[in-house]
Amino acid sequence: MSEAQFHERVDNLFLQVEEILDEAESDIDFVNTSGLLTISCENGSQIILSRQPPLSQVWLACLAGGWHFELQGQTWRLTTDTQQTLAQCLAAALLQQAQESFDCKALDELAD
């Protein structure tokens, strides 16, 4: 995948995450700037998605830890456990930090 394709796919991913967050019942804010999508939860905690072009990865940082994801087919998968997807990990982080359940399954089919 070229760097331009990587950026296009991550842009689409971040836009879809924003659309999911727009449905929030709690007070969640987000800012998409400089390759980072920073999600601020009502309790003051943050979840950060960042693009890593040299590695063709997306990183997720939250209270539970940090994870790296690579695109496999149409799905962003955890580099250390390819059974876990970005959608699953983001939904878990949002549940823990925002105490709200989000359906992030659509994120697993955004690559093309």
Side-chain angles (χ1 to χ4, degrees):
M1 155 175 37
S2 72
E3 188 169 333
Q5 290 171 316
F6 170 77
H7 284 292
E8 182 179 342
R9 290 178 177 179
V10 175
D11 287 343
N12 290 338
L13 172 69
F14 284 8
L15 286 173
Q16 184 66 36
V17 171
E18 290 176 20
E19 288 178 14
I20 290 168
L21 295 174
D22 279 337
E23 302 299 319
E25 293 178 16
S26 58
D27 186 21
I28 293 180
D29 293 318
F30 54 87
V31 176
N32 187 349
T33 184
S34 302
L36 294 174
L37 178 60
T38 303
I39 303 164
S40 299
C41 300
E42 199 170 338
N43 65 3
S45 67
Q46 292 184 329
I47 298 168
I48 300 172
L49 288 167
S50 64
R51 67 180 76 211
Q52 303 297 320
L55 302 171
S56 295
Q57 293 181 346
V58 172
W59 292 1
L60 169 66
C62 61
L63 291 178
W67 296 284
H68 302 175
F69 299 86
E70 291 179 336
L71 193 59
Q72 294 182 7
Q74 293 186 349
T75 305
W76 292 96
R77 296 196 175 273
L78 190 60
T79 58
T80 57
D81 176 1
T82 58
Q83 297 302 306
Q84 291 192 50
T85 68
L86 175 62
Q88 294 167 329
C89 294
L90 179 59
L94 288 164
L95 182 60
Q96 178 191 19
Q97 292 179 229
Q99 271 124 50
E100 186 173 343
S101 184
F102 289 87
D103 182 0
C104 297
K105 293 177 196 162
L107 300 178
D108 285 342
E109 301 172 0
L110 285 178
D112 289 337

